[in-house]
Amino acid sequence: MAQFEEVSQKSKLHPKPEGLTLQYGTAGFRTHAKHLDHIMFRMGLLATLRSKKTKSTIGVMVTASHNPEEDNGVKLIDPMGEMVTAAWEGYATQLANAEQDSLLKELKDIIKKEDIDMSEPASVYVGKDTRPSSASLSQAVLDGVSSLGGKTHDYGLVTTPQLHYMVCCCNTHGCYGSPTVEGYYQKLSQAFLQLTQNALNRTDDQKRLLVDGANGIGALKMREMEPFLRSELQVVLSNDGSSGKLNHMCGADYVKVQQKAPQGMNMGVGERCCSFDGDADRIVYYYTDSKGCFHLLDGDKIATLISTYLKELLTQAGLNLQIAVVQTAYANGSSTRYLEDVMKVTVCCTKTGVKHLHHAAQEYDIGVYFEANGHGTVLFSKAAQKQIQELVKDPNANDERKRAVKLLESTINLINQTVGDAISDMLVIEAVLAIRGMSAQDWDAIYTDLPNRQLKVTVCADRRVIDTTDAERRAVSPEGLQDTIDTLVKKYKSARSFVRPSGTEDVVRVYAEADTQESADSLAHEVSLAVYRLAGGIGDEPKPLH
Ligand code: NG1
Ligand code: ZN
């Protein structure tokens, strides 16, 4: 067939290095950019098949998020802006690892398994981050799509959540918004301006926010969006990409893991600051107090702030909708305790990776999901949205209910329900703080985090020698590891620890929390040693942190 002839010809321009195998990991393929050209071409092919199969537009985002600038990666986006399903992740790995001469065979195998009608049209939206390698890699995606006769729309430089939004807008025929960057700015800014009208007498200081753009796409897009916000938010942008390197000593991941402010940010005492990651799908907040102490407001604090606000509005609106918060094992123990015991909301724990959290959040009327690292959003079920819209129109509702339900309606419009979105989350947080008249310190005081530490251990064999259960909170292999962790945890107060293989780096991650930073550090170190000894660690033995 002519269409396969073109694939065959074009694939030679994007050859696979023999023997190289890669996995579709926690968030797509991700590695050094020099290994990715063939992957991109093939993901163009796969997205075309997925589009034919679903009779919808599919998205392909070229980014390696918070990874170093030299890396790159690719994420596939399903019709409603969600992450691609597990079966298709499997196809992605199958296609990515096919040697050059068996590519067509694997492609036809997927077509057969999925019973794809190749005469269907295909449409693929493509976006990229600011990495130097992203331009040629996104061209490889476009080549893949066109070699199978698919239509492409190249959005160029966009944040990952913006591309998710475009895909959702397209497939809902405009119901979610208009599929342009301008449409995105308009939808979000209108909702933000409506919400902040409810916050009276805000001073310029309260409107001021310091934003670390991680030297990436988020900085560019924040600049573009600023005029739409009409000074209701006064952004002071640093790490805007004009000089520094992407994610280097800055960005949400750096701030969260190092538990310190990024370079290049001039923070006044108590000033609200936030950091995006390299593709602007994560955000964390922070401030320094009068003693110069750094305070992190991470994904758990964000989930608590937003769910408290939503719960209050539901009560005021007299709506009986169930609200749940979805977390992972990395959620700080204090946040879980606060949500369950004080706020009395349902808390559910899933495996790491937003696709798991997103899925779990869909089970509730309102599902607030955040990873501790700041990746998350809020999902409203169709039924919940309908109830809210009906109440907005109800002429018999009293003023208090009307006000609350209008706030809920604008909040829904401000939230990017397709995926975690740093810009959208930032505007939600800013609106909530403004409406409730809260400072960063007030927000931080909702509960006190347990001191914690994250470490990495490199092992010689496949890191998946570590197998886990119970939403990754317990290790079932190698033998003896969990018993050792249990014994170590008992030595410390309010302690918890777990280990799991990373899905994005070739390391085993260790997490520990306890009543003091010294204890958390010491427990994390002892557990790292146990991993090193029982799971075949390489290099020097982990050293104590102090
Ligand atoms: P891995 O490498 O599987 O731990 C990391 C993050 C995830 C998620 C993905 C994708 C931690 C501990 N893990 O996954 O939460 O965001 O990257 O970006 O932060
Ligand atoms: Zn990201």
Side-chain angles (χ1 to χ4, degrees):
M1 258 180 172
Q3 66 199 149
F4 291 123
E5 188 48 42
E6 197 171 339
V7 173
S8 184
Q9 291 306 322
K10 288 255 186 78
S11 76
K12 289 181 193 142
L13 303 174
H14 304 280
K16 172 182 177 298
E18 216 169 299
L20 178 71
T21 57
L22 294 167
Q23 295 285 326
Y24 196 97
T26 315
F29 292 102
R30 211 178 276 189
T31 186
H32 196 287
K34 68 182 179 202
H35 299 309
L36 284 168
D37 183 62
H38 68 293
I39 299 276
M40 297 294 168
F41 176 77
R42 292 165 184 214
M43 289 309 103
L45 298 177
L46 190 71
T48 312
L49 295 189
R50 183 77 183 143
S51 171
K52 287 176 188 283
K53 168 79 188 181
T54 57
K55 301 186 176 49
S56 306
T57 291
I58 296 295
V60 181
M61 180 71 194
V62 176
T63 179
S65 185
H66 57 277
N67 284 39
E69 187 169 276
E70 301 70 35
D71 283 2
N72 217 321
V74 58
K75 302 178 181 181
L76 296 177
I77 305 167
D78 246 6
M80 286 304 120
E82 292 160 276
M83 269 148 272
V84 82
T85 62
W88 281 73
E89 284 187 5
Y91 297 146
T93 303
Q94 178 183 344
L95 214 54
N97 295 327
E99 291 305 336
Q100 201 60 28
D101 52 5
S102 54
L103 177 61
L104 282 190
K105 182 179 145 292
E106 298 296 347
L107 198 64
K108 288 176 188 168
D109 182 58
I110 298 168
I111 295 170
K112 191 157 167 242
K113 269 197 200 133
E114 289 290 326
D115 194 20
I116 295 168
D117 177 357
M118 292 303 284
S119 66
E120 283 288 336
S123 152
V124 178
Y125 284 2
V126 181
K128 60 171 184 262
D129 72 11
T130 55
R131 289 178 158 77
S133 59
S134 291
S136 71
L137 290 175
S138 77
Q139 188 54 51
V141 175
L142 296 165
D143 283 358
V145 179
S146 63
S147 75
L148 262 180
K151 261 181 44 191
T152 54
H153 183 128
D154 183 5
Y155 278 93
L157 293 167
V158 281
T159 69
T160 296
Q162 282 178 333
L163 192 67
H164 282 254
Y165 162 89
M166 305 301 174
V167 170
C168 183
C169 288
C170 171
N171 290 318
T172 54
H173 311 289
C175 285
Y176 196 65
S178 136
T180 59
V181 180
E182 178 134 314
Y184 171 94
Y185 296 141
Q186 255 154 9
K187 180 178 175 183
L188 267 60
S189 58
Q190 262 169 28
F192 179 73
L193 295 174
Q194 263 159 18
L195 283 172
T196 47
Q197 271 172 16
N198 290 272
L200 302 172
N201 311 322
R202 283 168 79 219
T203 62
D204 276 353
D205 272 356
Q206 286 163 333
K207 291 180 186 174
R208 198 173 127 95
L209 175 67
L210 274 60
V211 178
D212 154 26
N215 289 317
I217 185 68
L220 289 182
K221 297 295 149 178
M222 213 42 249
R223 277 259 146 78
E224 278 176 21
M225 191 176 188
E226 258 187 289
F228 291 81
L229 298 168
R230 299 207 208 116
S231 307
E232 280 305 308
L233 183 66
Q234 293 167 16
V235 171
V236 183
L237 199 57
S238 57
N239 300 317
D240 64 354
S242 53
S243 54
K245 205 172 164 185
L246 178 71
N247 296 329
H248 181 66
M249 314 280 280
C250 62
D253 198 60
Y254 174 85
V255 173
K256 166 72 184 163
V257 177
Q258 304 295 324
Q259 306 191 22
K260 61 179 182 205
Q263 255 186 8
M265 198 175 233
N266 246 329
M267 299 163 66
V269 171
E271 256 189 320
R272 279 192 322 285
C273 309
C274 67
S275 287
F276 296 174
D277 76 338
D279 62 342
D281 61 357
R282 285 195 200 174
I283 185 167
V284 292
Y285 268 69
Y286 43 91
Y287 68 95
T288 46
D289 63 23
S290 53
K291 294 189 192 116
C293 233
F294 175 80
H295 293 257
L296 178 69
L297 296 149
D298 64 1
D300 303 334
K301 292 259 174 179
I302 296 173
T304 308
L305 180 76
I306 295 178
S307 53
T308 313
Y309 160 78
L310 290 175
K311 196 167 178 225
E312 201 172 276
L313 288 183
L314 288 177
T315 308
Q316 288 167 4
L319 284 168
N320 185 21
L321 295 170
Q322 195 198 5
I323 186 166
V325 176
V326 185
Q327 303 187 315
T328 70
Y330 291 100
N332 195 278
S334 288
S335 73
T336 315
R337 210 161 306 126
Y338 178 82
L339 288 164
E340 282 179 336
D341 300 350
V342 183
M343 280 209 28
K344 310 260 182 250
V345 299
T346 308
V347 179
C348 142
C349 183
T350 70
K351 285 189 188 172
T352 302
V354 273
K355 60 190 173 201
H356 301 294
L357 290 103
H358 191 93
H359 209 74
Q362 284 172 324
E363 298 297 310
Y364 303 93
D365 295 328
I366 302 177
V368 180
Y369 75 82
F370 272 90
E371 293 192 300
N373 61 31
H375 190 154
T377 186
V378 185
L379 303 185
F380 294 82
S381 71
K382 281 217 170 76
Q385 296 197 45
K386 193 159 165 256
Q387 275 194 45
I388 290 167
Q389 276 150 13
E390 274 167 7
L391 186 58
V392 170
K393 289 188 218 121
D394 184 351
N396 300 320
N398 66 28
D399 285 354
E400 191 200 3
R401 292 185 76 194
K402 268 240 138 76
R403 175 185 182 269
V405 81
K406 280 197 175 142
L407 285 173
L408 279 170
E409 189 189 38
S410 299
T411 308
I412 292 176
N413 287 332
L414 184 52
I415 288 169
N416 185 343
Q417 293 194 56
T418 65
V419 77
D421 181 336
I423 293 179
S424 151
D425 290 338
M426 175 192 81
L427 294 174
V428 173
I429 293 163
E430 289 301 305
V432 173
L433 293 176
I435 292 167
R436 306 183 106 208
M438 286 168 83
S439 65
Q441 293 87 325
D442 299 332
W443 172 18
D444 194 25
I446 297 181
Y447 66 83
T448 308
D449 269 326
L450 276 171
N452 57 86
R453 179 66 64 197
Q454 256 194 64
L455 296 174
K456 302 177 192 182
V457 182
T458 310
V459 293
C460 65
D462 185 344
R463 63 190 186 274
R464 276 159 291 198
V465 292
I466 300 207
D467 193 16
T468 62
T469 183
D470 187 22
E472 304 177 323
R473 288 173 290 194
R474 297 190 66 77
V476 289
S477 74
E479 219 187 307
L481 179 59
Q482 189 58 50
D483 290 343
T484 311
I485 297 175
D486 289 342
T487 310
L488 292 170
V489 165
K490 282 197 195 110
K491 289 171 45 184
Y492 300 91
K493 248 174 94 183
S494 309
R496 188 170 69 91
S497 179
F498 67 92
V499 301
R500 57 174 278 281
S502 158
T504 60
E505 281 178 72
D506 194 9
V507 294
V508 173
R509 292 199 199 283
V510 172
Y511 176 88
E513 62 185 32
D515 63 335
T516 64
Q517 192 62 55
E518 289 67 34
S519 296
D521 289 352
S522 162
L523 176 58
H525 170 247
E526 288 190 289
V527 173
S528 299
L529 267 182
V531 171
Y532 182 87
R533 288 177 187 154
L534 294 167
I538 49 173
D540 292 340
E541 254 193 13
K543 301 254 173 337
L545 283 110
H546 302 286

